[in-house]
Every structure is written in C-alpha cells, then in structure tokens.
Amino acid sequence: MSDVSKLAGVSKMTVSRVLADPALVSEETRQKVMKAIEKLGYVPDRIAGSLSSRRTNFITAILPTLTNSNFADSAQGLANALRAADYQLLIGYTMYDLQEEERVIRTMMERRPDAIVVAGTVHTKMASEVLMRAGIPIVEIWDVPEHPIDHAVGFSNYEVGRNAAKYLISLGFKRIGALGSRADGDVKDWRGESRLLGFGAALREAGIADDLIIREGSAPVSYDHGAKTLGSLLAKAPDVEGIFAVSDISAVGALMECHRRGIHVPDQVSILGFGDFDIGRQCYPAISTIRVDAQMIGRKAGELLLSILEAEKGADVPEGARVDVGFELIVRETTKRLGG
Amino acid sequence: MSDVSKLAGVSKMTVSRVLADPALVSEETRQKVMKAIEKLGYVPDRIAGSLSSRRTNFITAILPTLTNSNFADSAQGLANALRAADYQLLIGYTMYDLQEEERVIRTMMERRPDAIVVAGTVHTKMASEVLMRAGIPIVEIWDVPEHPIDHAVGFSNYEVGRNAAKYLISLGFKRIGALGSRADGDVKDWRGESRLLGFGAALREAGIADDLIIREGSAPVSYDHGAKTLGSLLAKAPDVEGIFAVSDISAVGALMECHRRGIHVPDQVSILGFGDFDIGRQCYPAISTIRVDAQMIGRKAGELLLSILEAEKGADVPEGARVDVGFELIVRETTKRLGG
DNA sequence: CTGAAAGCGCTTACAG
DNA sequence: CTGAAAGCGCTTACAG
C-alpha cells in the first residue's frame, strides 16, 4: 500500500479511501491511485485491515457435517446471502459431537468472526457461555427454541415428530414405530431426538403405545442404519404398520431391507422419512417425507445477520429474532391408508 | 494479552511464548500465565498474530459447489487432514463458472491464505496468473494435468472416459453414446468434458462412430438433465446399446426415463455412470459406475500441503507433485453383455 | 478533498 | 529462561 501511495504521489490514507469509499476522493486522484494499483498488482491485505478496523467480515458457520445434503444446502444458502456483502464463511464441522462443537467454537473465536451461525440449540455449558459472551450476533439454525442464545432460524423438530405421528395415526394405524439414533453420549443428533420426542408425545396423546421407538447407532445415520433398525423394530413388533424414520437416508435403508425381506411397502407397512433428500424422491417406491427448505434456512440466517451487521447507526436492529420457516408433509408412495 | 501479562506479572512476550511454545518457559512462569489466562477468559487474537507472523493458517479451497457429494467429500477430507495442524479452511464456490472462479480467487488472495486448493485445471488467464504469482503452494485437484500450476492431486478424467468407452465396447456394443453438459461458454464442467473427450477418442480408436455424444444443458447436472439428454440421444439413435453419463446423477435420471418409456435396463440398453453416488448404489437397478475416492483426494491434498508448510527449514519439500489416485470401474446392474 | 499521527494485538529478532 | 523495541499493513480519529 505504501508502494502504491508513493507511485501515485498521495498518502496511504488516500489509497485506503479509494479502496473503501471512492466517492470520498476526487476523480483525478482516484484515477492516479487506480493506475498505480493496477501497475503494481496491489492486493489489499484484509488481515491488516481487520486488525485495524476491528471487523473481519468473517462469519463462522458450525455444522454437524457437510456430507449431508441438507446442511450443505444451508451452507450454500448462507454463503449466497453473504457473498454480495463481501463476507467470507468460516465453516467448521462437529460430526454431531458436542465436545467437538465446543472445541470448534473456541478455535473459531480466535479468528474474531463478526457473527456466528451454529446448527442446533443444544450445546455444552462451556460452549453456550462462550457464545453468550462473544458479543457478536449468534444465530442458531435448524430449530427454534423458546429461548435462543440470541437469534434462531429454523423450525420445530418436535412439531415435525408430532405431525409425523398424527399423519400415521390418520392412516388408521395402531402399531406405530420410529427409527432413530442413540440419544445418549456426546455424539448425538439432538434434532433427530427432538423429532422422536414429539413423535412419542403425539402417539401417547392418541392412546397409542410409544414402545416401538428404536434408538440405535450413532449419528450421522446411514442406509445401513435404516436397514438394521428396521430389523430391530421388526423383531420387536412384526405387526408394525407405520414407521417414521428420522431421516430419508434411514427410510431408504429401511425400504431396501423390506424389499430384501419380501415385505411390501406400502401394502404391508408404511414408511415416512424426513428431509426430502434426492434419493427419497428418485427411489422406488418414492419415499413419503417431511420437507424443510434447508437452503432457505441458510439464506434467512444470512439476511438476518446482514440486517444487523450492515445497519446504519441508530437504525433499529432485530433483537432475539425467531424465524420459523416451517415444514411440509409430502405424501408419495411409501405411505398408504390401511386397506386403502 | 497485555491484561494477562500484567496479571501474571510477566512481559507480553512470555505470554506469547506460553501460547506458542510452552516448553520455552519455566514451569512456574507457565502456571502463573495459564492461571491469568483462565481467570480473564483471554482468547488470543489470531488476526493480530497473522499480521505479525505473516502466516494466517488459512487454506483456501475453491470448489464448483458443495451441493455435490463428491466435492463435499473432498472438502471434508481436506478439512480432516488440516484440522490437527490447526489450519482453517476458507471455502469458496464457483458454480462451474470460470469468471466467478477468478473473482473468488482474487477475493481470497486478500485474506492471505498459506495455500490454495482449487478444483480443476482450467482457469481464466487472469486466474492462472494470480495463482502462479501468489507465492504460496497451489494444489489443483480432481484432475492431473501434464503441467500443473504447482501441484496436482486427482486422476485423469480423460482416461475415465476412455475406460468407459472400452468397457462398453467390451460388452459387444457398436452403437454407443454419452450424456454430458454443454462445452461452450463460461459455465462449464471441464472435468466432465474431459471424460467425454476421452470417451470419443476411444470410440474412434475402435472404429466406432462418435456422433452419439450429447452435450446439452449446463453444469451442475441434474436428474432432469439425464432424462432430457436421454430423450435427445434416443431421438438420434433409437438403437443405441450402451450409454455413458458424465455423472451418476444423469445416469439415474436416464434410468428413470427408460422406466417411463418402457425401455428395459440393461436388457435393451446399458447405462454406465460416474462418481459412485449413494443414489446410484441404492436405486434399482443399481447403477454401474466409475468410482473415484473423493475424500482421499482431499486428504492427499491436505497431507501434501502439510508436508510443505510444516517442513523444517532445509528439509526437502516436494516440488510440482502430481498424485494420481486413480479410479475404479464398478459393475453393478445397469450394464450387461450383448445377449448375455 | 487530503494527510500526519497513533494504534489495532500480536510476533520477530535481538539482547542479556 | 525472560524482556524491550520495532514493526506487520492497514483504519480511526483528528485536523486542516
């Protein structure tokens, strides 16, 4: 930068202004500076700029994994929303492990992000404290808790579970089960667990036994997980009529296992998934599922942050926003009314 | 940090040492410093550290999209390899657009990454120059060109195409086609195009016409793309016997379209995909494909970079490394010998 | 519209 | 094993 200022015959301050807010500089000076920048191939150093201005234009996104198309969609939605405003995403993975999440959050704090987006509303005590004291906007995504740390953009996983149960009940079933992952230990899909909790509650409300909710294996869930948990469920209740899987991935695995065992879906058993993954749409029979607009979650989180970070002084800024993007039941071919 | 040094009654330099290399500090001093850090909840500022040390521990990864499980796997493999060494990934998306790639590369340079990983070996002239002059290690992934900008980790897409053709020829087919995306304009999947080029070359070598290579629509490819290009191919050659799709996604789309048209796969036509996506493995009939270890590409790129960046002074460092991870033909149910 | 001074919070390079 | 000084490359906050 000082090279540029020398070549252009102006002060460093003027070069800085040309880059930050060209309107502040006279047309003539600007031209000189631009020419010098061009000639020297000068690339401004944002690290130095960040240190000086106390703004990094980094936004941290903490996700369980990127190998899940839903979270990848949210990341992409977030990145798209932020791109125009020149923010750079700092992505961290937790592998559904709360200890790892805490570690990632701590590491990320050293990079001084301007805001943090984190998937999930359950954190270690330490992690929650770090986030609360961070002094920057925090957006929890993929759920909408009563009392978010700061902001939240998502939907109620509990209600998803309740709706799943209600739908299966409406189909006339009495023997209803679910396929999920283990709910103990650090590595745990809390959102999936919320769905199972809501599912069980709705079952009980309807006077139906909730003893067929299988929790086996650990997140992230796989096709194999679906196949195995289906086996466990069948061993327990060969007469099960309707099944809710916490993820389409498990649902597809369960469906394939049904094929192998000669159990017809949906004539003998109905299967409902979650997530509306491509594979559920394309497989045969196509999986009935509950859809969430993952990309929209990312986009809305991004827009919320921009409205806060880019607010003019004095403008009023949303406080403790809770955005519920909802969800949608998509009935396809794996669910069917009893005797229908 | 100066708060910490005051509380601990030492200089800032000593605090810095405790954090960077505790072995340099006496046990007693270290304890005092650690206690002060704990008490104040001090979180070191890596932005300042980066400016001072001229190392950011950022590594930039530039990918077409994260919504493709192959690239997501590579990103995760890269992140896993770098995590232990305390590097943070800076991920950028190009949406298969070379102009956008150039823009992303320029923006990323302002963050002063210690190295850059970029998917693909075709760049705008400007982008190539920026990368060459960057003065940091560059790893191009997902192909292995004769002359990489710096390093390369991938496989030969051209050879993938050749092998696809050879395999279909070995099945006894004479009428052989392919499904790809448009090869003109800025938005373009160059790796897919390489596969088609190799495919056509092998066809010609065997004395088979290469006029059934369809290039329609733009990357990223979709199920719909597979269905539509299959339609075009069939319109041109109703008697086509073997088809190679540049991606499993297209292959699945083509397979579904065959179902709809009452064309039996593989009895009437064989379909070979690329990428070994989950969906190809799970759909019925399961897609024959060519598999690449995407996660390994990311991991090897990460390990290569670590060996360079973490090298002791004087240690010899790989120069212009070209790592070919190869690929693997996986025969499943959508390909079958003529009359077999 | 332009500039000189100070400082952001660290690490480098010495010195002892 | 410990510390004082200088500086990384910008922006902030004044001043004119």
Side-chain angles (χ1 to χ4, degrees), chain B residues 142-173:
Chain B
W142 277 86
D143 213 327
V144 281
E146 279 300 310
H147 303 289
I149 292 180
D150 191 9
H151 309 280
V153 176
F155 58 94
S156 168
N157 283 283
Y158 189 85
E159 283 303 320
V160 165
R162 278 175 52 96
N163 274 266
K166 283 184 181 167
Y167 170 62
L168 293 176
I169 292 167
S170 79
L171 261 24
F173 305 142

PDB file of all heavy atoms in Angstrom, chain B residues 142-173:
ATOM      1  N   TRP B 142      -8.800 -32.980  -8.608  1.00  0.00           N
ATOM      2  CA  TRP B 142      -9.813 -33.570  -9.498  1.00  0.00           C
ATOM      3  C   TRP B 142      -9.360 -33.701 -10.941  1.00  0.00           C
ATOM      4  O   TRP B 142     -10.162 -33.932 -11.823  1.00  0.00           O
ATOM      5  CB  TRP B 142     -11.146 -32.811  -9.408  1.00  0.00           C
ATOM      6  CG  TRP B 142     -11.910 -33.300  -8.238  1.00  0.00           C
ATOM      7  CD1 TRP B 142     -11.799 -32.852  -6.946  1.00  0.00           C
ATOM      8  CD2 TRP B 142     -12.834 -34.377  -8.208  1.00  0.00           C
ATOM      9  NE1 TRP B 142     -12.612 -33.589  -6.133  1.00  0.00           N
ATOM     10  CE2 TRP B 142     -13.268 -34.524  -6.875  1.00  0.00           C
ATOM     11  CE3 TRP B 142     -13.346 -35.235  -9.175  1.00  0.00           C
ATOM     12  CZ2 TRP B 142     -14.177 -35.500  -6.488  1.00  0.00           C
ATOM     13  CZ3 TRP B 142     -14.260 -36.196  -8.800  1.00  0.00           C
ATOM     14  CH2 TRP B 142     -14.666 -36.314  -7.462  1.00  0.00           C
ATOM     15  N   ASP B 143      -8.079 -33.537 -11.186  1.00  0.00           N
ATOM     16  CA  ASP B 143      -7.506 -33.917 -12.469  1.00  0.00           C
ATOM     17  C   ASP B 143      -5.995 -33.918 -12.276  1.00  0.00           C
ATOM     18  O   ASP B 143      -5.509 -33.430 -11.253  1.00  0.00           O
ATOM     19  CB  ASP B 143      -7.919 -32.956 -13.598  1.00  0.00           C
ATOM     20  CG  ASP B 143      -8.060 -33.702 -14.936  1.00  0.00           C
ATOM     21  OD1 ASP B 143      -7.295 -34.671 -15.156  1.00  0.00           O
ATOM     22  OD2 ASP B 143      -8.933 -33.346 -15.742  1.00  0.00           O
ATOM     23  N   VAL B 144      -5.267 -34.517 -13.196  1.00  0.00           N
ATOM     24  CA  VAL B 144      -3.805 -34.460 -13.091  1.00  0.00           C
ATOM     25  C   VAL B 144      -3.231 -34.034 -14.431  1.00  0.00           C
ATOM     26  O   VAL B 144      -2.872 -34.857 -15.253  1.00  0.00           O
ATOM     27  CB  VAL B 144      -3.188 -35.809 -12.670  1.00  0.00           C
ATOM     28  CG1 VAL B 144      -3.324 -36.014 -11.189  1.00  0.00           C
ATOM     29  CG2 VAL B 144      -3.828 -36.966 -13.412  1.00  0.00           C
ATOM     30  N   PRO B 145      -3.135 -32.741 -14.669  1.00  0.00           N
ATOM     31  CA  PRO B 145      -2.642 -32.236 -15.942  1.00  0.00           C
ATOM     32  C   PRO B 145      -1.153 -32.533 -16.086  1.00  0.00           C
ATOM     33  O   PRO B 145      -0.467 -32.778 -15.091  1.00  0.00           O
ATOM     34  CB  PRO B 145      -2.883 -30.738 -15.836  1.00  0.00           C
ATOM     35  CG  PRO B 145      -2.832 -30.446 -14.374  1.00  0.00           C
ATOM     36  CD  PRO B 145      -3.394 -31.662 -13.703  1.00  0.00           C
ATOM     37  N   GLU B 146      -0.676 -32.510 -17.332  1.00  0.00           N
ATOM     38  CA  GLU B 146       0.750 -32.676 -17.599  1.00  0.00           C
ATOM     39  C   GLU B 146       1.568 -31.653 -16.814  1.00  0.00           C
ATOM     40  O   GLU B 146       2.561 -31.968 -16.188  1.00  0.00           O
ATOM     41  CB  GLU B 146       1.017 -32.481 -19.110  1.00  0.00           C
ATOM     42  CG  GLU B 146       0.719 -33.691 -19.956  1.00  0.00           C
ATOM     43  CD  GLU B 146       1.566 -34.894 -19.549  1.00  0.00           C
ATOM     44  OE1 GLU B 146       2.796 -34.730 -19.443  1.00  0.00           O
ATOM     45  OE2 GLU B 146       0.979 -35.974 -19.331  1.00  0.00           O
ATOM     46  N   HIS B 147       1.110 -30.407 -16.881  1.00  0.00           N
ATOM     47  CA  HIS B 147       1.873 -29.328 -16.251  1.00  0.00           C
ATOM     48  C   HIS B 147       1.001 -28.515 -15.313  1.00  0.00           C
ATOM     49  O   HIS B 147       0.445 -27.493 -15.702  1.00  0.00           O
ATOM     50  CB  HIS B 147       2.472 -28.415 -17.317  1.00  0.00           C
ATOM     51  CG  HIS B 147       3.339 -29.148 -18.288  1.00  0.00           C
ATOM     52  ND1 HIS B 147       4.570 -29.660 -17.941  1.00  0.00           N
ATOM     53  CD2 HIS B 147       3.146 -29.501 -19.579  1.00  0.00           C
ATOM     54  CE1 HIS B 147       5.104 -30.283 -18.985  1.00  0.00           C
ATOM     55  NE2 HIS B 147       4.253 -30.204 -20.001  1.00  0.00           N
ATOM     56  N   PRO B 148       0.877 -28.985 -14.094  1.00  0.00           N
ATOM     57  CA  PRO B 148       0.063 -28.228 -13.142  1.00  0.00           C
ATOM     58  C   PRO B 148       0.703 -26.869 -12.850  1.00  0.00           C
ATOM     59  O   PRO B 148       1.901 -26.691 -13.057  1.00  0.00           O
ATOM     60  CB  PRO B 148       0.054 -29.108 -11.892  1.00  0.00           C
ATOM     61  CG  PRO B 148       1.078 -30.156 -12.081  1.00  0.00           C
ATOM     62  CD  PRO B 148       1.483 -30.193 -13.502  1.00  0.00           C
ATOM     63  N   ILE B 149      -0.107 -25.948 -12.379  1.00  0.00           N
ATOM     64  CA  ILE B 149       0.422 -24.654 -11.967  1.00  0.00           C
ATOM     65  C   ILE B 149       1.494 -24.874 -10.915  1.00  0.00           C
ATOM     66  O   ILE B 149       2.555 -24.273 -10.948  1.00  0.00           O
ATOM     67  CB  ILE B 149      -0.713 -23.780 -11.380  1.00  0.00           C
ATOM     68  CG1 ILE B 149      -1.687 -23.398 -12.505  1.00  0.00           C
ATOM     69  CG2 ILE B 149      -0.151 -22.540 -10.721  1.00  0.00           C
ATOM     70  CD1 ILE B 149      -2.846 -22.539 -12.045  1.00  0.00           C
ATOM     71  N   ASP B 150       1.205 -25.775  -9.999  1.00  0.00           N
ATOM     72  CA  ASP B 150       2.175 -26.090  -8.949  1.00  0.00           C
ATOM     73  C   ASP B 150       2.083 -27.593  -8.664  1.00  0.00           C
ATOM     74  O   ASP B 150       2.813 -28.371  -9.234  1.00  0.00           O
ATOM     75  CB  ASP B 150       1.860 -25.229  -7.710  1.00  0.00           C
ATOM     76  CG  ASP B 150       2.957 -25.278  -6.667  1.00  0.00           C
ATOM     77  OD1 ASP B 150       4.035 -25.839  -6.964  1.00  0.00           O
ATOM     78  OD2 ASP B 150       2.746 -24.769  -5.548  1.00  0.00           O
ATOM     79  N   HIS B 151       1.123 -27.995  -7.824  1.00  0.00           N
ATOM     80  CA  HIS B 151       0.917 -29.412  -7.549  1.00  0.00           C
ATOM     81  C   HIS B 151      -0.450 -29.851  -8.070  1.00  0.00           C
ATOM     82  O   HIS B 151      -1.301 -29.012  -8.344  1.00  0.00           O
ATOM     83  CB  HIS B 151       0.977 -29.681  -6.048  1.00  0.00           C
ATOM     84  CG  HIS B 151       2.186 -29.108  -5.396  1.00  0.00           C
ATOM     85  ND1 HIS B 151       3.419 -29.708  -5.427  1.00  0.00           N
ATOM     86  CD2 HIS B 151       2.363 -27.960  -4.688  1.00  0.00           C
ATOM     87  CE1 HIS B 151       4.298 -28.966  -4.772  1.00  0.00           C
ATOM     88  NE2 HIS B 151       3.680 -27.897  -4.312  1.00  0.00           N
ATOM     89  N   ALA B 152      -0.641 -31.159  -8.154  1.00  0.00           N
ATOM     90  CA  ALA B 152      -1.953 -31.666  -8.554  1.00  0.00           C
ATOM     91  C   ALA B 152      -2.233 -32.983  -7.856  1.00  0.00           C
ATOM     92  O   ALA B 152      -1.337 -33.820  -7.692  1.00  0.00           O
ATOM     93  CB  ALA B 152      -2.023 -31.842 -10.069  1.00  0.00           C
ATOM     94  N   VAL B 153      -3.469 -33.151  -7.410  1.00  0.00           N
ATOM     95  CA  VAL B 153      -3.913 -34.420  -6.827  1.00  0.00           C
ATOM     96  C   VAL B 153      -5.252 -34.762  -7.472  1.00  0.00           C
ATOM     97  O   VAL B 153      -6.210 -33.997  -7.367  1.00  0.00           O
ATOM     98  CB  VAL B 153      -4.117 -34.327  -5.302  1.00  0.00           C
ATOM     99  CG1 VAL B 153      -4.670 -35.641  -4.754  1.00  0.00           C
ATOM    100  CG2 VAL B 153      -2.820 -33.960  -4.602  1.00  0.00           C
ATOM    101  N   GLY B 154      -5.301 -35.882  -8.166  1.00  0.00           N
ATOM    102  CA  GLY B 154      -6.562 -36.229  -8.804  1.00  0.00           C
ATOM    103  C   GLY B 154      -6.422 -37.496  -9.611  1.00  0.00           C
ATOM    104  O   GLY B 154      -5.788 -38.451  -9.174  1.00  0.00           O
ATOM    105  N   PHE B 155      -7.005 -37.490 -10.765  1.00  0.00           N
ATOM    106  CA  PHE B 155      -6.981 -38.653 -11.641  1.00  0.00           C
ATOM    107  C   PHE B 155      -7.217 -38.114 -13.034  1.00  0.00           C
ATOM    108  O   PHE B 155      -7.567 -36.950 -13.216  1.00  0.00           O
ATOM    109  CB  PHE B 155      -8.088 -39.632 -11.239  1.00  0.00           C
ATOM    110  CG  PHE B 155      -9.444 -39.000 -11.292  1.00  0.00           C
ATOM    111  CD1 PHE B 155     -10.240 -39.096 -12.429  1.00  0.00           C
ATOM    112  CD2 PHE B 155      -9.908 -38.237 -10.228  1.00  0.00           C
ATOM    113  CE1 PHE B 155     -11.476 -38.476 -12.490  1.00  0.00           C
ATOM    114  CE2 PHE B 155     -11.141 -37.600 -10.284  1.00  0.00           C
ATOM    115  CZ  PHE B 155     -11.923 -37.722 -11.420  1.00  0.00           C
ATOM    116  N   SER B 156      -7.029 -38.963 -14.032  1.00  0.00           N
ATOM    117  CA  SER B 156      -7.232 -38.495 -15.394  1.00  0.00           C
ATOM    118  C   SER B 156      -8.683 -38.676 -15.822  1.00  0.00           C
ATOM    119  O   SER B 156      -9.138 -39.788 -16.059  1.00  0.00           O
ATOM    120  CB  SER B 156      -6.324 -39.260 -16.356  1.00  0.00           C
ATOM    121  OG  SER B 156      -6.730 -39.006 -17.692  1.00  0.00           O
ATOM    122  N   ASN B 157      -9.392 -37.570 -15.941  1.00  0.00           N
ATOM    123  CA  ASN B 157     -10.773 -37.644 -16.412  1.00  0.00           C
ATOM    124  C   ASN B 157     -10.824 -38.175 -17.833  1.00  0.00           C
ATOM    125  O   ASN B 157     -11.750 -38.886 -18.207  1.00  0.00           O
ATOM    126  CB  ASN B 157     -11.422 -36.260 -16.324  1.00  0.00           C
ATOM    127  CG  ASN B 157     -11.808 -35.900 -14.910  1.00  0.00           C
ATOM    128  OD1 ASN B 157     -12.805 -36.372 -14.393  1.00  0.00           O
ATOM    129  ND2 ASN B 157     -10.997 -35.086 -14.261  1.00  0.00           N
ATOM    130  N   TYR B 158      -9.805 -37.833 -18.598  1.00  0.00           N
ATOM    131  CA  TYR B 158      -9.713 -38.311 -19.970  1.00  0.00           C
ATOM    132  C   TYR B 158      -9.656 -39.842 -19.987  1.00  0.00           C
ATOM    133  O   TYR B 158     -10.376 -40.505 -20.737  1.00  0.00           O
ATOM    134  CB  TYR B 158      -8.468 -37.715 -20.619  1.00  0.00           C
ATOM    135  CG  TYR B 158      -8.353 -37.936 -22.103  1.00  0.00           C
ATOM    136  CD1 TYR B 158      -8.980 -37.075 -23.007  1.00  0.00           C
ATOM    137  CD2 TYR B 158      -7.610 -39.004 -22.616  1.00  0.00           C
ATOM    138  CE1 TYR B 158      -8.864 -37.271 -24.380  1.00  0.00           C
ATOM    139  CE2 TYR B 158      -7.494 -39.204 -23.976  1.00  0.00           C
ATOM    140  CZ  TYR B 158      -8.126 -38.334 -24.861  1.00  0.00           C
ATOM    141  OH  TYR B 158      -8.009 -38.530 -26.207  1.00  0.00           O
ATOM    142  N   GLU B 159      -8.833 -40.396 -19.111  1.00  0.00           N
ATOM    143  CA  GLU B 159      -8.716 -41.866 -19.034  1.00  0.00           C
ATOM    144  C   GLU B 159      -9.999 -42.501 -18.528  1.00  0.00           C
ATOM    145  O   GLU B 159     -10.345 -43.609 -18.916  1.00  0.00           O
ATOM    146  CB  GLU B 159      -7.534 -42.263 -18.139  1.00  0.00           C
ATOM    147  CG  GLU B 159      -6.178 -42.100 -18.817  1.00  0.00           C
ATOM    148  CD  GLU B 159      -6.069 -42.901 -20.111  1.00  0.00           C
ATOM    149  OE1 GLU B 159      -6.569 -44.047 -20.156  1.00  0.00           O
ATOM    150  OE2 GLU B 159      -5.514 -42.369 -21.090  1.00  0.00           O
ATOM    151  N   VAL B 160     -10.697 -41.797 -17.628  1.00  0.00           N
ATOM    152  CA  VAL B 160     -12.002 -42.297 -17.177  1.00  0.00           C
ATOM    153  C   VAL B 160     -12.902 -42.479 -18.397  1.00  0.00           C
ATOM    154  O   VAL B 160     -13.532 -43.527 -18.581  1.00  0.00           O
ATOM    155  CB  VAL B 160     -12.669 -41.329 -16.184  1.00  0.00           C
ATOM    156  CG1 VAL B 160     -14.152 -41.662 -16.013  1.00  0.00           C
ATOM    157  CG2 VAL B 160     -11.970 -41.387 -14.834  1.00  0.00           C
ATOM    158  N   GLY B 161     -12.924 -41.459 -19.253  1.00  0.00           N
ATOM    159  CA  GLY B 161     -13.760 -41.530 -20.452  1.00  0.00           C
ATOM    160  C   GLY B 161     -13.332 -42.664 -21.369  1.00  0.00           C
ATOM    161  O   GLY B 161     -14.166 -43.420 -21.880  1.00  0.00           O
ATOM    162  N   ARG B 162     -12.027 -42.789 -21.562  1.00  0.00           N
ATOM    163  CA  ARG B 162     -11.513 -43.867 -22.410  1.00  0.00           C
ATOM    164  C   ARG B 162     -11.918 -45.235 -21.864  1.00  0.00           C
ATOM    165  O   ARG B 162     -12.366 -46.108 -22.597  1.00  0.00           O
ATOM    166  CB  ARG B 162      -9.983 -43.803 -22.494  1.00  0.00           C
ATOM    167  CG  ARG B 162      -9.464 -42.794 -23.522  1.00  0.00           C
ATOM    168  CD  ARG B 162      -7.950 -42.705 -23.460  1.00  0.00           C
ATOM    169  NE  ARG B 162      -7.350 -44.027 -23.563  1.00  0.00           N
ATOM    170  CZ  ARG B 162      -6.899 -44.573 -24.686  1.00  0.00           C
ATOM    171  NH1 ARG B 162      -6.963 -43.881 -25.805  1.00  0.00           N
ATOM    172  NH2 ARG B 162      -6.379 -45.771 -24.692  1.00  0.00           N
ATOM    173  N   ASN B 163     -11.752 -45.389 -20.567  1.00  0.00           N
ATOM    174  CA  ASN B 163     -12.106 -46.672 -19.959  1.00  0.00           C
ATOM    175  C   ASN B 163     -13.598 -46.957 -20.034  1.00  0.00           C
ATOM    176  O   ASN B 163     -14.001 -48.108 -20.200  1.00  0.00           O
ATOM    177  CB  ASN B 163     -11.637 -46.704 -18.503  1.00  0.00           C
ATOM    178  CG  ASN B 163     -10.200 -47.152 -18.389  1.00  0.00           C
ATOM    179  OD1 ASN B 163      -9.918 -48.314 -18.187  1.00  0.00           O
ATOM    180  ND2 ASN B 163      -9.263 -46.225 -18.573  1.00  0.00           N
ATOM    181  N   ALA B 164     -14.383 -45.919 -19.895  1.00  0.00           N
ATOM    182  CA  ALA B 164     -15.838 -46.095 -20.011  1.00  0.00           C
ATOM    183  C   ALA B 164     -16.164 -46.645 -21.397  1.00  0.00           C
ATOM    184  O   ALA B 164     -16.928 -47.607 -21.543  1.00  0.00           O
ATOM    185  CB  ALA B 164     -16.549 -44.767 -19.776  1.00  0.00           C
ATOM    186  N   ALA B 165     -15.564 -46.034 -22.412  1.00  0.00           N
ATOM    187  CA  ALA B 165     -15.819 -46.471 -23.782  1.00  0.00           C
ATOM    188  C   ALA B 165     -15.325 -47.904 -23.995  1.00  0.00           C
ATOM    189  O   ALA B 165     -16.037 -48.752 -24.552  1.00  0.00           O
ATOM    190  CB  ALA B 165     -15.138 -45.524 -24.767  1.00  0.00           C
ATOM    191  N   LYS B 166     -14.120 -48.163 -23.535  1.00  0.00           N
ATOM    192  CA  LYS B 166     -13.566 -49.509 -23.719  1.00  0.00           C
ATOM    193  C   LYS B 166     -14.449 -50.566 -23.064  1.00  0.00           C
ATOM    194  O   LYS B 166     -14.634 -51.653 -23.615  1.00  0.00           O
ATOM    195  CB  LYS B 166     -12.154 -49.581 -23.127  1.00  0.00           C
ATOM    196  CG  LYS B 166     -11.110 -48.924 -24.002  1.00  0.00           C
ATOM    197  CD  LYS B 166      -9.733 -49.129 -23.412  1.00  0.00           C
ATOM    198  CE  LYS B 166      -8.654 -48.461 -24.258  1.00  0.00           C
ATOM    199  NZ  LYS B 166      -7.386 -48.408 -23.523  1.00  0.00           N
ATOM    200  N   TYR B 167     -14.945 -50.240 -21.899  1.00  0.00           N
ATOM    201  CA  TYR B 167     -15.811 -51.194 -21.196  1.00  0.00           C
ATOM    202  C   TYR B 167     -17.079 -51.466 -21.998  1.00  0.00           C
ATOM    203  O   TYR B 167     -17.472 -52.615 -22.215  1.00  0.00           O
ATOM    204  CB  TYR B 167     -16.138 -50.682 -19.793  1.00  0.00           C
ATOM    205  CG  TYR B 167     -17.204 -51.490 -19.100  1.00  0.00           C
ATOM    206  CD1 TYR B 167     -17.021 -52.840 -18.813  1.00  0.00           C
ATOM    207  CD2 TYR B 167     -18.408 -50.899 -18.739  1.00  0.00           C
ATOM    208  CE1 TYR B 167     -18.003 -53.580 -18.192  1.00  0.00           C
ATOM    209  CE2 TYR B 167     -19.408 -51.634 -18.111  1.00  0.00           C
ATOM    210  CZ  TYR B 167     -19.202 -52.980 -17.840  1.00  0.00           C
ATOM    211  OH  TYR B 167     -20.180 -53.712 -17.235  1.00  0.00           O
ATOM    212  N   LEU B 168     -17.711 -50.399 -22.477  1.00  0.00           N
ATOM    213  CA  LEU B 168     -18.949 -50.586 -23.253  1.00  0.00           C
ATOM    214  C   LEU B 168     -18.665 -51.352 -24.539  1.00  0.00           C
ATOM    215  O   LEU B 168     -19.468 -52.182 -24.979  1.00  0.00           O
ATOM    216  CB  LEU B 168     -19.603 -49.231 -23.541  1.00  0.00           C
ATOM    217  CG  LEU B 168     -20.141 -48.485 -22.308  1.00  0.00           C
ATOM    218  CD1 LEU B 168     -20.682 -47.106 -22.690  1.00  0.00           C
ATOM    219  CD2 LEU B 168     -21.230 -49.293 -21.584  1.00  0.00           C
ATOM    220  N   ILE B 169     -17.507 -51.074 -25.137  1.00  0.00           N
ATOM    221  CA  ILE B 169     -17.129 -51.797 -26.353  1.00  0.00           C
ATOM    222  C   ILE B 169     -16.929 -53.281 -26.029  1.00  0.00           C
ATOM    223  O   ILE B 169     -17.354 -54.166 -26.770  1.00  0.00           O
ATOM    224  CB  ILE B 169     -15.826 -51.202 -26.948  1.00  0.00           C
ATOM    225  CG1 ILE B 169     -16.091 -49.786 -27.470  1.00  0.00           C
ATOM    226  CG2 ILE B 169     -15.294 -52.087 -28.078  1.00  0.00           C
ATOM    227  CD1 ILE B 169     -14.837 -48.987 -27.795  1.00  0.00           C
ATOM    228  N   SER B 170     -16.307 -53.550 -24.890  1.00  0.00           N
ATOM    229  CA  SER B 170     -16.034 -54.941 -24.493  1.00  0.00           C
ATOM    230  C   SER B 170     -17.323 -55.722 -24.265  1.00  0.00           C
ATOM    231  O   SER B 170     -17.335 -56.945 -24.250  1.00  0.00           O
ATOM    232  CB  SER B 170     -15.188 -54.973 -23.218  1.00  0.00           C
ATOM    233  OG  SER B 170     -16.007 -54.746 -22.083  1.00  0.00           O
ATOM    234  N   LEU B 171     -18.410 -54.980 -24.053  1.00  0.00           N
ATOM    235  CA  LEU B 171     -19.702 -55.630 -23.850  1.00  0.00           C
ATOM    236  C   LEU B 171     -20.332 -56.040 -25.196  1.00  0.00           C
ATOM    237  O   LEU B 171     -21.394 -56.667 -25.216  1.00  0.00           O
ATOM    238  CB  LEU B 171     -20.653 -54.675 -23.112  1.00  0.00           C
ATOM    239  CG  LEU B 171     -20.849 -54.833 -21.591  1.00  0.00           C
ATOM    240  CD1 LEU B 171     -19.680 -55.522 -20.901  1.00  0.00           C
ATOM    241  CD2 LEU B 171     -21.138 -53.498 -20.930  1.00  0.00           C
ATOM    242  N   GLY B 172     -19.663 -55.651 -26.279  1.00  0.00           N
ATOM    243  CA  GLY B 172     -20.117 -56.071 -27.598  1.00  0.00           C
ATOM    244  C   GLY B 172     -20.937 -55.032 -28.354  1.00  0.00           C
ATOM    245  O   GLY B 172     -21.466 -55.299 -29.427  1.00  0.00           O
ATOM    246  N   PHE B 173     -21.048 -53.806 -27.779  1.00  0.00           N
ATOM    247  CA  PHE B 173     -21.880 -52.782 -28.425  1.00  0.00           C
ATOM    248  C   PHE B 173     -21.171 -52.096 -29.593  1.00  0.00           C
ATOM    249  O   PHE B 173     -19.957 -51.953 -29.609  1.00  0.00           O
ATOM    250  CB  PHE B 173     -22.263 -51.700 -27.406  1.00  0.00           C
ATOM    251  CG  PHE B 173     -22.930 -52.253 -26.177  1.00  0.00           C
ATOM    252  CD1 PHE B 173     -22.662 -51.709 -24.923  1.00  0.00           C
ATOM    253  CD2 PHE B 173     -23.824 -53.322 -26.261  1.00  0.00           C
ATOM    254  CE1 PHE B 173     -23.272 -52.213 -23.785  1.00  0.00           C
ATOM    255  CE2 PHE B 173     -24.441 -53.823 -25.124  1.00  0.00           C
ATOM    256  CZ  PHE B 173     -24.159 -53.278 -23.876  1.00  0.00           C
TER     257      PHE B 173
END
